[in-house]
Amino acid sequence: MDTLDVLIVGAGFAGLRALHTFRGIGEKVLVIEASDGIGGVWYHNGYPGARCDVESYDYSYSFSPELEQEWRWSERYATQPEILRYIEHVADRFDLRKDILLNTRMASAVFDEAAERWTVTSQDGRQWSAKHLVLCLGQLSTTKAPAYPGQESFKGRIIHSGVWPKDKVDYTGKRVAIIGTGSSGMQMTPVIAREAAHLTVFQRTANYSIPAANAPVTDEEDKAVKANYAERRLQARNSPTGLGFKPNRVSALDAPPEEREKVYEAAWNRWGFGFALAYFDILLSKPANDTAADFIRRRIAAKIEKPDLREKLVPKDHAFAARRPSVDSGYFEAFNRDNVELADLREAPIVAFTANGIRTAAKDHSFDIVIFATGFDAFTGSLLKPDIVGRGGVTLKEKWAAGPVSQLGVGVHGFPNMHIVCGPGSPSLLSNVMVSIEEQIDWFSRLVRTMREKGLSTFEAEEEAERAWVAHVNERAKETLYLTADSYYNGAEVAGKPRVFMPYSGGVRGYRRILERSEAEGYPGFKLSPKTGSATRAPAA
Ligand code: NAP
């Protein structure tokens, strides 16, 4: 059995950053990755039209000024292939590949209480012993798909957006179905519409979307960003979402209607997600949100030529951004094409698959390809797939049976030296995850170094602190409109999943300050113990 200081699980953006950082502080590190390639979600989500909803210059690593200067993004919102090229470049540039084992899926991680180490076993039986277990498993990496009666009898091809095949899928002359209208479905719709003979989009819930305003990055823009990159990063880290947008301090309800219209117009034309910060109370007050939702509905409606489709495609049943909105490039316009059809699942649900396609309560559709853009078991799906066994044989599944609990979103009582990156209880999917990933990993690495320097063996969340943090996460969520809609933020995306609000909605700046304070005060709410097992609170770092 190989002995390591740090075992990292997952070779996506988080895992690669963790490898570089822990290696940098002199730890013996290994990354294990289930897939046959690096890149995590950006390796798997190769569907047509896949691109990032966050601007390229912000959705990238900030740890190396040289990397920042040498990488040249070609578009404001990078496509999946370009992001993957960036990830590959980073892996080569920092010589990361030699410490990554591909095709290695973690089956279990068991905390050995006597040795105070994790024993990790892969599905094919290899084992490692590690002092620290760093989980970089992603928040949207366990796909979820409905199972319809007759699905196995379908003669065509079924593909999930989140595990897109590596061979080229040819739509020419084909009849294609997309089930799901979240970001994935919305991004692929206009691209597939241009290639397929016929496309049917099955919609259950109409979704808000802001136009991406994508454009090639000019040399002048590239130069301007690179001349002030540090400042841009600082602004991102100090903004609520990590995207760099400062919330307008004015209430949407106090702005005169003509002025508000102009503000929304500017946000619509350029800001993407930043639209939600056009006024500070859009996500806090329903009347304020109504003004934004009304603007967006009007703009969406104006794009759709057919009145009956307009009625169906304009979102109505939830507040703007209470569920994750999309940033699209021609989604609504695609429905103006003759070869694109909308199947409203609220009107006529899917009854079954047939050999030739899909039967709804209204009619039989025939298809060659059916795409499930039905999303993921978010936040906890990938953390609960392997058997993670803590003190006393308690599994993480048991510990989180009623929903995830943690201290500050980073540590779990009963699971010493287990570090969760971008997990529940942290800003995670409510933020530019690149900012959240880097800040948490830097915090973890300083903690691990402190432990080493002080001769401490374990770091473990205290139960009381966990309860307080979960209560705080819920208090912050109650200040917002996030609880007014069913979404993957609150476990509604999977039947039977505990209905608890998972991400921390207090913003990345607020969250960073909490982490920094914790570090400065000697990690209250965590027990740091020397090897003997006699627990003592570590002195302030
Ligand atoms: P999603 O947002 O969870 O959307 C899933 C869609 O499938 C929803 O429209 C949902 O309808 C529908 N659906 C689920 N189960 C269904 C069923 N049984 N029958 C019919 N419809 C069903 O998933 P996603 O679009 O893959 O996006 C997930 C997240 O990934 C995004 O929110 C985003 O965070 C991330 N993402 C990011 C980017 C990017 O930055 N570029 C791109 C894609 C995805 P309901 O709404 O009615 O549940």
Side-chain angles (χ1 to χ4, degrees):
M1 188 179 339
D2 276 356
T3 302
L4 304 159
D5 297 321
V6 179
L7 183 84
I8 297 162
V9 193
F13 265 120
L16 298 186
R17 174 62 151 88
L19 167 55
H20 178 69
T21 305
F22 283 107
R23 196 196 262 174
I25 60 162
E27 298 290 294
K28 187 179 175 200
V29 195
L30 178 74
V31 179
I32 59 170
E33 162 60 52
S35 314
D36 58 356
I38 60 169
V41 288
W42 293 106
Y43 180 70
H44 292 292
N45 284 260
Y47 58 81
R51 65 170 76 238
C52 190
D53 289 346
V54 175
E55 291 199 22
S56 314
Y57 287 103
D58 303 310
Y59 197 80
S60 56
Y61 291 119
S62 69
F63 67 85
S64 161
E66 297 77 24
L67 173 66
E68 284 179 338
Q69 291 299 320
E70 76 198 15
W71 185 261
R72 173 68 163 87
W73 291 106
S74 70
E75 289 181 88
R76 195 177 278 164
Y77 295 95
T79 60
Q80 175 266 342
E82 186 167 12
I83 296 173
L84 202 52
R85 281 199 298 280
Y86 172 78
I87 292 171
E88 301 272 351
H89 170 76
V90 171
D92 292 332
R93 194 189 188 293
F94 297 97
D95 198 17
L96 301 179
R97 292 183 202 269
K98 65 178 186 218
D99 291 322
I100 302 172
L101 280 183
L102 298 175
N103 299 306
T104 305
R105 183 177 288 281
M106 173 168 83
S108 67
V110 180
F111 186 69
D112 176 338
E113 291 186 60
E116 293 181 337
R117 298 181 69 85
W118 286 94
T119 304
V120 173
T121 308
S122 66
Q123 243 170 20
D124 57 7
R126 285 169 289 161
Q127 286 199 315
W128 301 268
S129 164
K131 184 97 216 141
H132 296 276
L133 178 66
V134 181
L135 300 175
C136 299
L137 294 165
Q139 311 76 39
L140 297 162
S141 38
T142 297
T143 57
K144 108 187 137 64
Y148 295 106
Q151 213 165 289
E152 62 300 330
S153 69
F154 177 56
K155 287 189 297 198
R157 189 169 183 186
I158 298 179
I159 307 173
H160 194 290
S161 63
V163 276
W164 198 259
K166 296 294 170 199
D167 64 308
K168 179 158 171 40
V169 181
D170 186 8
Y171 311 95
T172 327
K174 301 265 167 52
R175 295 182 63 82
V176 181
I178 297 173
I179 303 177
T181 55
S183 294
S184 304
M186 284 178 137
Q187 284 190 337
M188 68 176 76
T189 290
V191 183
I192 296 178
R194 285 196 291 274
E195 291 180 27
H198 190 272
L199 171 65
T200 306
V201 177
F202 288 83
Q203 170 187 279
R204 192 164 64 182
T205 308
N207 199 5
Y208 291 93
S209 185
I210 311 292
N214 187 35
V217 174
T218 64
D219 287 343
E220 291 68 42
E221 283 168 327
D222 185 60
K223 246 163 98 182
V225 173
K226 287 176 177 170
N228 290 301
Y229 221 148
E231 209 175 291
R232 185 177 176 119
R233 298 294 196 186
L234 204 61
Q235 190 166 326
R237 294 176 73 214
N238 285 313
S239 67
T241 53
L243 295 168
F245 295 102
K246 288 191 188 128
N248 187 338
R249 301 246 164 254
V250 176
S251 162
L253 301 173
D254 289 342
E258 315 80 66
E259 186 193 305
R260 195 169 58 209
E261 191 77 4
K262 278 192 202 140
V263 168
Y264 284 151
E265 181 74 38
W268 176 260
N269 288 333
R270 181 60 182 87
W271 292 14
F273 276 140
F275 193 103
L277 297 169
Y279 292 102
F280 79 87
D281 49 357
I282 288 177
L283 265 164
L284 305 180
S285 135
K286 182 67 171 52
N289 192 284
D290 286 344
T291 66
D294 171 67
F295 178 94
I296 298 170
R297 288 185 192 121
R298 279 188 277 121
R299 287 316 169 98
I300 291 176
K303 293 173 182 230
I304 305 159
E305 289 164 9
K306 298 172 196 140
D308 58 325
L309 282 188
R310 202 178 295 145
E311 181 54 32
K312 288 176 179 162
L313 284 164
V314 170
K316 314 180 190 49
D317 64 357
H318 60 282
F320 165 62
R323 322 173 87 215
R324 207 256 203 195
S326 190
V327 175
D328 74 290
S329 302
Y331 172 71
F332 297 103
E333 294 86 337
F335 290 91
N336 297 333
R337 299 174 63 100
D338 291 337
N339 67 333
V340 178
E341 176 187 4
L342 182 75
D344 184 340
L345 291 173
R346 303 248 187 233
E347 232 171 60
I350 293 173
V351 176
F353 270 53
T354 63
N356 295 319
I358 291 178
R359 177 169 302 148
T360 68
K363 69 172 188 180
D364 275 13
H365 299 257
S366 65
F367 296 117
D368 303 296
I369 302 170
V370 173
I371 299 168
F372 285 136
T374 45
F376 302 86
D377 180 353
F379 292 101
T380 51
S382 297
L383 288 166
L384 298 181
K385 239 192 309 190
D387 285 323
I388 299 179
V389 187
R391 286 194 197 281
V394 174
T395 65
L396 192 61
K397 257 184 227 105
E398 288 162 346
K399 168 91 187 184
W400 284 6
V405 292
S406 68
Q407 160 65 337
L408 308 187
V410 293
V412 182
H413 177 70
F415 298 80
N417 296 357
M418 182 178 86
H419 311 251
I420 304 176
V421 178
C422 257
S426 77
S428 185
L429 294 176
L430 289 182
S431 68
N432 172 3
V433 288
M434 292 303 294
V435 172
S436 294
I437 283 171
E438 293 205 282
E439 289 190 340
Q440 274 190 338
I441 289 171
D442 286 339
W443 188 85
F444 281 137
S445 71
R446 292 193 299 272
L447 167 65
V448 166
R449 194 172 48 197
T450 299
M451 287 174 67
R452 195 179 61 201
E453 285 166 2
K454 293 185 188 300
L456 297 165
S457 184
T458 56
F459 141 88
E460 183 176 355
E462 289 172 348
E463 226 166 353
E464 193 47 45
E466 270 179 354
R467 272 194 287 274
W469 181 249
V470 170
H472 176 64
V473 169
N474 281 302
E475 281 311 308
R476 296 309 308 255
K478 279 186 206 148
E479 297 164 3
T480 72
L481 297 175
Y482 288 124
L483 301 181
T484 63
D486 283 349
S487 73
Y488 64 62
Y489 297 144
N490 51 39
E493 84 286 13
V494 176
K497 193 167 168 171
R499 295 294 295 268
V500 294
F501 188 76
M502 280 174 280
Y504 179 61
S505 59
V508 295
R509 182 172 64 165
Y511 180 73
R512 186 183 72 246
R513 286 178 174 169
I514 291 169
L515 287 186
E516 282 169 354
R517 197 166 58 238
S518 164
E519 186 177 352
E521 292 174 0
Y523 304 100
F526 295 99
K527 195 156 70 181
L528 284 94
S529 311
K531 174 75 182 84
T532 53
S534 64
T536 51
R537 168 77 46 73

